[in-house]
Amino acid sequence: GQNIDQPTEMTATEGAIVQINCTYQTSGFNGLFWYQQHAGEAPTFLSYNVLDGLEEKGRFSSFLSRSKGYSYLLLKELQMKDSASYLCAVTDSNYQLIWGAGTKLIIKP
Amino acid sequence: ETGVTQTPRHLVMGMTNKKSLKCEQHLGHNAMYWYKQSAKKPLELMFVYSLEERVENNSVPSRFSPECPNSSHLFLHLHTLQPEDSALYLCASSQASGTGGSPLHFGNGTRLTVT
């Protein structure tokens, strides 16, 4: 079967750095997405990786290793507003999106 | 208005009721989706429409009935639901379905409670 694994919950301190990992086993690979979802709100697109390496967008970076079936989302200079769930999703060989259950990130002052 | 708009935000219905969820996108996208989101579970794809034609129905019970009258509007008609159908129902749109890098744009969802 197809599977996406990410930690259920993580806690970090304001101003620090946190890395949220995502591992996947899918039938083929056509890209990996990260979304942010604040409680009671819509998921919003953060990043898309299709080639190996690091993509940086301001305080957020996303890394992909296709050979290891692994990605991470790196958040720097954490702010209280970064408290949210972070969803990892992989597009398989049929261009179906396979979703992880999400990682709830709690930021403490 | 911009983005994806869903109404209502909250809905409480009995098991014998009939109600409809509405979604509207103002992004000029060609594909629209219904997802079910339950606590601590991955998003479950329910239906996909591409250019107003249904392209996917992931074994969803017939008590859920989608309708896509045009590329900007999507409905989910509900009847004789069960308590386990209580969840957040998310509508999304994208430039195209079945392509790799086209991100989804989501609405804020309808929080459905079936009593």
Side-chain angles (χ1 to χ4, degrees):
Chain A
Q2 308 205 84
N3 194 50
I4 308 279
D5 285 314
Q6 43 180 140
T8 304
E9 188 174 298
M10 298 181 71
T11 302
T13 305
E14 192 177 15
I17 299 173
V18 71
Q19 177 175 311
I20 302 174
N21 295 326
C22 171
T23 57
Y24 61 89
Q25 300 90 38
T26 57
S27 303
F29 178 85
N30 276 303
L32 184 145
F33 293 89
W34 283 97
Y35 286 82
Q36 179 191 59
Q37 185 177 23
H38 285 102
E41 295 184 15
T44 55
F45 169 72
L46 286 178
S47 66
Y48 173 69
N49 294 68
V50 66
L51 299 176
D52 291 349
L54 188 68
E55 296 271 347
E56 296 186 70
K57 265 190 194 178
R59 294 188 299 114
F60 292 10
S61 303
S62 56
F63 172 82
L64 174 67
S65 168
R66 288 172 295 170
S67 62
K68 294 182 180 177
Y70 167 69
S71 172
Y72 67 73
L73 182 68
L74 191 71
L75 291 73
K76 301 177 185 175
E77 301 167 18
L78 285 170
Q79 302 175 10
M80 297 304 292
K81 67 179 182 179
D82 298 328
S83 292
S85 289
Y86 292 85
L87 311 180
C88 174
V90 171
T91 308
D92 70 9
S93 57
N94 294 319
Y95 294 98
Q96 303 298 307
L97 255 185
I98 313 301
W99 292 86
T103 298
K104 182 178 180 180
L105 177 64
I106 299 168
I107 309 297
K108 294 186 174 178
Chain B
E1 273 193 73
T2 58
V4 180
T5 305
Q6 285 187 248
T7 55
R9 288 298 307 272
H10 300 273
L11 178 63
V12 179
M13 59 187 287
M15 289 190 282
T16 57
N17 290 159
K18 284 186 181 181
K19 297 285 184 184
S20 295
L21 309 184
K22 180 182 175 182
C23 176
E24 187 172 357
Q25 59 101 357
H26 307 272
L27 299 167
H29 287 165
N30 293 321
M32 296 188 77
Y33 309 76
W34 280 115
Y35 276 93
K36 177 182 179 182
Q37 187 174 36
S38 302
K40 299 185 180 179
K41 287 186 177 180
L43 287 175
E44 296 175 49
L45 179 63
M46 300 175 73
F47 301 104
V48 181
Y49 278 82
S50 179
L51 297 172
E52 301 153 45
E53 286 192 22
R54 190 191 304 181
V55 296
E56 188 150 350
N57 172 359
N58 277 359
S59 302
V60 178
S62 59
R63 57 186 184 267
F64 295 92
S65 174
E67 179 189 359
C68 187
N70 55 61
S71 60
S72 298
H73 293 86
L74 187 64
F75 295 90
L76 188 63
H77 304 298
L78 316 171
H79 64 97
T80 59
L81 294 190
Q82 304 298 310
E84 60 264 28
D85 297 322
S86 298
L88 182 68
Y89 288 84
L90 291 165
C91 173
S93 70
S94 68
Q95 199 72 268
S97 67
T99 59
S102 186
L104 297 176
H105 294 255
F106 286 89
N108 281 331
T110 296
R111 172 66 63 188
L112 174 67
T113 303
V114 181
T115 60

